[in-house]
Amino acid sequence: MSIVAVEGMAGVGKTRFAVHAAHRLAADYPDGQFYLDLHGFSAGSTPAAPGAVLETMLRRLGVPASAIPESVDDRSTLLRDRLADRRVLLVLDNAADEAQVSPLLPAASGCLVIVTSRRALAMDGACVIVLDVFSPAEARELLTGLLGPDRVAAEPASVEELAGRCGHLPLAVAVAGRRLRGRPAWRVAHLLARLSDPDRGLAEFTVGARGVEDVFALSYRALPAARQRLFRLLGVHLGDDVTAALAAALVGDDPADAERDLEALLDEHLVQQVRPGRHELHDLLRRYAARQVAATPDEAAAARRRLVDWYVATADGATRLIRRFPLPPVGRVPEPVAPVPGFGDEEAALRWLDAEFANLRAAIHGAADLPAWRNAVVLVHLLQPYLVRRGQVDDALATLRAAAEAARGLDDPVAEAYTLTALGQAHDTAGRTDRSLELLRDALERHVRLGQAVGEATTRHHLAMVFRRLGRHRDAIAEYRRAVVLFRAAGDGQWEASALSGLSVDLHLAGRDEEALAQALRALSLQRVVGGPGLARVENNVGLLHARLGRHAEAVPYALRALAWQRRTGSRPGQANALANLAFSYARTGRPTEAVRAAAEAVEIARDLGPDLRAKTWNTLGEAHRSAGDHAAALRCHREALDIATRIGEAEEQARARAGIDDASVPAGT
C-alpha cells in the first residue's frame, strides 16, 4: 500500500488536487476508485466516525449488512481482507486526524490511498505533499479562464492587484473571479475598491454559499480555546512575522507554552514558518484573525499594550549595548508582562534588531491610544542609535515624525522638544539642510524655554554640524563651544567628548590646525575615560586631523583602530568614514593600490547612506585613483561627488570635488 498525504491551509485546493490526481491515475487501479469525505472540517457536521466510514466502504465492496461486524477493529480487518488481492485507489478527503484515518487503510501493496487534511498528519511511510498558494502567473491563468482574456487584458494591473489581495490563495482567487463573472458590469477595479472597504472585509470573498471566511471559521472553531485565543490575538500584531517570545507577549504567557501553541497552529496550517523560529499568517488569515479579535476590543487593547511594552523593554536591552548617549527624558521603559530576551553582546543585539525592525516599525506606526503613544515615543528614541548604526536615514525620519506627532498628542512639551532635535539631526543626515535648520532652531527655543540644559546643548551640537555643511565654520565653532560648556556643567562626558571632537573638525576647516588637534586630543582623552562606542568616532577624527596636517603616517593607525571598532560594532557609516580617511592617508604615503581598495569599499558601503557621506567617499575614491595615475577614473569620481554635494549644499565636498576635477583633468607632470 502507498499513502500520499496532501496537506495545506484552508482554501489551497487540496480536494481538487486529490480528485484530479485520482482521475489521472484511475487506469492504474482497475479494481475500483473510492472517494470518501471524512468531514474533518465541515460546516454543520462532526468528523465521520471510522466505524461508519468502514461500513460504507464494505457495502460498496458488496458485503451484505448482516455480514458486517460490529467493532471497528473487526470491520477494519474485513476491509483489508476484501482488498488483499485488489488494486484500488482510495481518496480519504478532509481528514480530521490520524486516529480517524488509520482504521481505513488497506494492507494490500497494490492499493493507493490519497489523504487530504488541513492538519499535518503523522502517518508512517506516507509521502507528504504540502500545497502552497498560486504563483502570480497561476492566479492570472485562473482569472483569465473565469473572466475571459479580453476582460483581463483590459485591466492587467488591476487583475494582478486582485490576485495579490487574494494572497494568491486558490479559493479566494476562484471566488473573486466567479463574483466578477456573475457581474459583467463590474470592472476589476470596482471589486478592488470594495475589498478596500474595512466594513466589508472578507465578506467580498463570497459567492452563494461558498465563502473564504466560512472556510477559515471551520479551522478556527476546531482549535482548543487557548489556541483560538493565540490565533485571534495574532490579528493585533501589525508586523510581518511572529516569534515564540513575541507570541508570549501577546497572550501574557510563558515563551515555552507560546512556542508549543505556535507549533500546533503550524501543524494546523493556520500559520506558516518563514524561517526557523519565525512564523507568519497568510494575508487573508491575518484579516480573519483581526476580524475575530475586533469582536473583543478590551482583549485586543490589552494584548496591544502587552506587545508594545515588551517591544520597548526588549529594544531598551538591545540598544543599551550600542547606545552612545543615554535615553533623553521622553518617557520611561515599561515593565513587560512576558520575559524579555537577554543579549550577550552587540552582535546578538544587532541580529535581534535587524530581524525585528519591520515589526518594531509597525508597532510605532500602529500606536492608536494614549499608552501606546507614550511607548511609541520611547521606542523611537531607543531605536535611533540602531538606525544611525545601520545608516537607515529614511526610517529614522519616518519614525521620528510619528514620535513627534505622538508627543503632541500626549501634550508633552519636553518629549516634543527632544524629538524635534532628533528629527532635525536626521534631516541633516539626509542632506535636507533648510528643514534641519528650521527644526533645530524650533527645538532650541523650546529647550531654552523649558530649562532643558542638556536638550539645549544637544541641539546646539547638531546646529553646529549643519553650519559646517554650509561652510559657516565660525558659527559652528561658536555653537560647539556653547555645547561643551553646557555638557560639562551637566556632567555628561559622552556628549562633551562628542562636542569637543566636532569642534576640532571645524577649527581645522577654519584653518586653525594646531588648536584643532589639541581639542581632538582632549576629546580622545575624555572619551577613553567615559568609554563606550563613541571612542571609534573620536579616534577617526583624530586620525583625520593628523592627515589634514600632513601627518599621514601618524593618521593611519588611528584610522585602522577606528575601522576595526566600527567593523566589530556593525556601524556602516562608521566603516565608510574610517575607510575613506584610511584611503586619504594611503594615497599620500605611496600606497595607491591600498588607497583605491579602501576607497572603493567605502563607496560601496555608503551607496545607500546619507548624501554627505556618499559625496565624501566618491571624492576620496577620486583622490585614490589620481594617486594611482588613473586620471579618467578620478575625474568620473569627482564629478559624481560634485553632483551629490551640489544637490545637498555640502560646501566642503563641493570644494574637494572641484579641486579634484581640476587636478584630474591634467595628468601630473604636464
Side-chain angles (χ1 to χ4, degrees):
M1 174 192 62
S2 299
I3 304 174
V4 176
V6 182
E7 302 172 3
M9 65 179 288
V12 81
K14 298 179 294 296
T15 298
R16 184 177 292 273
F17 176 86
V19 171
H20 180 74
H23 283 307
R24 295 285 298 272
L25 296 169
D28 296 333
Y29 297 92
D31 296 325
Q33 300 87 41
F34 297 87
Y35 171 86
L36 293 128
D37 186 349
L38 302 185
H39 297 290
F41 301 87
S42 297
S45 63
T46 57
V53 177
L54 285 164
E55 181 178 1
T56 299
M57 291 177 65
L58 289 168
R59 287 192 176 188
R60 289 189 190 177
L61 288 168
V63 179
S66 59
I68 296 176
E70 288 296 322
S71 76
V72 171
D73 288 345
D74 289 342
R75 290 180 179 185
S76 182
T77 300
L78 180 57
L79 174 69
R80 289 170 183 145
D81 181 66
R82 284 301 177 107
L83 297 179
D85 298 321
R86 299 191 185 188
R87 294 182 58 80
V88 167
L89 190 156
L90 180 62
V91 176
L92 301 176
D93 189 29
N94 200 9
D97 51 34
E98 300 88 343
Q100 185 188 34
V101 171
S102 293
L104 313 179
L105 300 177
S109 60
C111 294
L112 171 65
V113 181
I114 302 176
V115 184
T116 75
S117 180
R118 298 184 187 186
R119 291 191 173 120
L121 302 179
M123 294 186 294
D124 292 340
C127 171
V128 178
I129 298 175
V130 180
L131 295 187
D132 202 352
V133 297
F134 279 153
S135 67
E138 289 168 335
R140 183 184 180 87
E141 183 180 350
L142 177 57
L143 288 170
T144 301
L146 290 167
L147 304 178
D150 292 342
R151 199 169 174 187
V152 168
E155 298 179 84
S158 293
V159 168
E160 184 178 350
E161 184 180 349
L162 177 61
R165 292 282 192 92
C166 295
H168 299 99
L169 182 68
L171 174 60
V173 174
V175 168
R178 292 189 182 107
R179 191 163 171 78
L180 284 167
R181 185 176 62 184
R183 295 159 177 78
W186 281 16
R187 288 174 54 82
V188 178
H190 178 70
L191 178 57
L192 287 172
R194 293 174 69 92
L195 291 173
S196 300
D197 185 342
D199 293 332
R200 290 192 170 100
L202 291 173
E204 289 299 311
F205 291 108
T206 303
V207 172
R210 189 166 176 78
V212 170
E213 188 167 10
D214 296 328
V215 172
F216 289 165
L218 295 173
S219 292
Y220 173 68
R221 291 168 188 159
L223 296 172
R227 288 171 191 164
Q228 281 189 3
R229 179 169 179 259
L230 172 58
F231 174 78
R232 67 175 175 268
L233 289 182
L234 291 175
V236 167
H237 179 46
L238 300 176
D240 295 335
D241 52 18
V242 180
T243 63
L246 187 150
L250 271 174
V251 298
D253 203 350
D254 181 78
D257 294 334
E259 181 175 24
R260 185 180 61 250
D261 287 340
L262 266 180
E263 289 294 321
L265 293 180
L266 179 64
D267 288 338
E268 300 282 345
H269 294 285
L270 287 168
V271 299
Q272 302 162 324
Q273 192 168 65
V274 289
R275 343 186 248 292
R278 305 195 75 87
H279 302 75
E280 65 180 23
L281 274 71
H282 182 275
D283 289 347
L284 296 183
L285 277 170
R286 185 190 301 276
R287 290 176 65 178
Y288 178 74
R291 191 172 172 87
Q292 300 312 302
V293 80
T296 55
D298 291 343
E299 180 185 49
R304 190 176 295 111
R305 282 194 291 273
R306 284 193 301 270
L307 178 64
V308 180
D309 282 354
W310 181 84
Y311 264 136
V312 174
T314 310
D316 177 52
T319 59
R320 193 181 297 274
L321 295 172
I322 62 172
R323 288 203 295 264
R324 186 178 176 190
F325 307 110
L327 178 70
V330 296
R332 292 164 54 184
V333 175
E335 286 290 335
V337 174
V340 168
F343 304 100
D345 53 32
E346 288 185 17
E347 186 177 347
L350 287 168
R351 279 199 305 270
W352 183 85
L353 289 162
D354 288 341
E356 290 290 341
F357 181 70
N359 291 336
L360 290 161
R361 182 174 51 201
I364 291 164
H365 293 300
D369 54 23
L370 287 176
W373 284 351
R374 173 63 68 190
N375 277 330
V377 175
V378 175
L379 185 53
V380 167
H381 282 272
L382 286 171
L383 289 175
Q384 292 314 301
Y386 164 73
L387 295 174
V388 170
R389 178 75 62 94
R390 290 300 196 230
Q392 295 174 217
V393 180
D394 290 342
D395 285 321
L397 287 168
T399 55
L400 283 164
R401 289 190 193 105
E405 186 175 344
R408 280 192 293 273
L410 291 166
D411 193 22
D412 185 339
V414 172
E416 188 174 0
Y418 275 95
T419 304
L420 290 176
T421 294
L423 187 56
Q425 182 194 18
H427 274 284
D428 176 47
T429 303
R432 302 169 189 173
T433 310
D434 291 344
R435 181 59 176 152
S436 177
L437 275 176
E438 179 184 349
L439 287 164
L440 290 171
R441 283 169 172 160
D442 183 9
L444 180 60
E445 187 274 329
R446 292 169 187 256
H447 285 300
V448 171
R449 188 174 69 247
L450 294 165
Q452 293 289 324
V454 173
E456 178 189 346
T458 307
T459 308
R460 291 190 183 281
H461 181 288
H462 298 328
L463 271 171
M465 296 172 69
V466 179
F467 288 145
R468 179 192 301 162
R469 184 193 300 283
L470 297 173
R472 295 168 54 180
H473 303 300
R474 181 177 297 179
D475 291 331
I477 289 167
E479 292 296 350
Y480 273 130
R481 290 195 188 280
R482 294 186 187 105
V484 167
V485 171
L486 289 166
F487 286 134
R488 188 175 299 148
D492 195 324
Q494 286 283 5
W495 271 115
E496 184 185 350
S498 178
L500 285 168
S501 182
L503 173 62
S504 71
V505 174
D506 277 282
L507 284 168
H508 158 69
L509 294 171
R512 297 155 65 176
D513 290 334
E514 294 300 334
E515 188 180 354
L517 185 56
Q519 295 294 349
L521 291 171
R522 278 184 64 198
L524 183 56
S525 177
L526 179 57
Q527 188 66 60
R528 284 173 175 166
V529 171
V530 297
L535 183 60
R537 180 174 292 187
V538 179
E539 289 256 20
N540 202 45
N541 273 355
V542 173
L544 176 60
L545 284 166
H546 277 94
R548 295 294 175 87
L549 288 167
R551 304 173 187 174
H552 296 290
E554 295 173 72
V556 167
Y558 285 105
L560 286 171
R561 283 196 296 271
L563 177 60
W565 181 279
Q566 302 289 18
R567 288 199 197 282
R568 192 162 61 248
T569 60
S571 171
R572 295 171 65 232
Q575 290 176 62
N577 258 313
L579 283 162
N581 294 342
L582 190 60
F584 182 74
S585 290
Y586 279 157
R588 286 156 179 79
T589 52
R591 301 162 72 175
T593 303
E594 292 168 275
V596 170
R597 187 184 302 120
E601 186 181 352
V603 166
E604 186 60 34
I605 292 172
R607 196 171 293 279
D608 58 349
L609 301 180
D612 55 338
L613 191 50
R614 295 203 306 275
K616 174 180 177 176
T617 56
W618 276 109
N619 264 331
T620 305
L621 183 56
E623 292 161 3
H625 277 303
R626 183 156 50 87
S627 75
D630 190 343
H631 297 282
L635 189 59
R636 287 195 300 271
C637 293
H638 286 305
R639 283 175 173 164
E640 179 74 24
L642 181 59
D643 181 56
I644 297 170
T646 300
R647 286 201 303 270
I648 63 172
E650 174 59 83
E652 181 187 2
E653 294 306 330
Q654 286 181 53
R656 283 182 67 189
R658 290 193 180 101
I661 289 170
D662 290 341
D663 290 342
S665 304
V666 182
T670 61

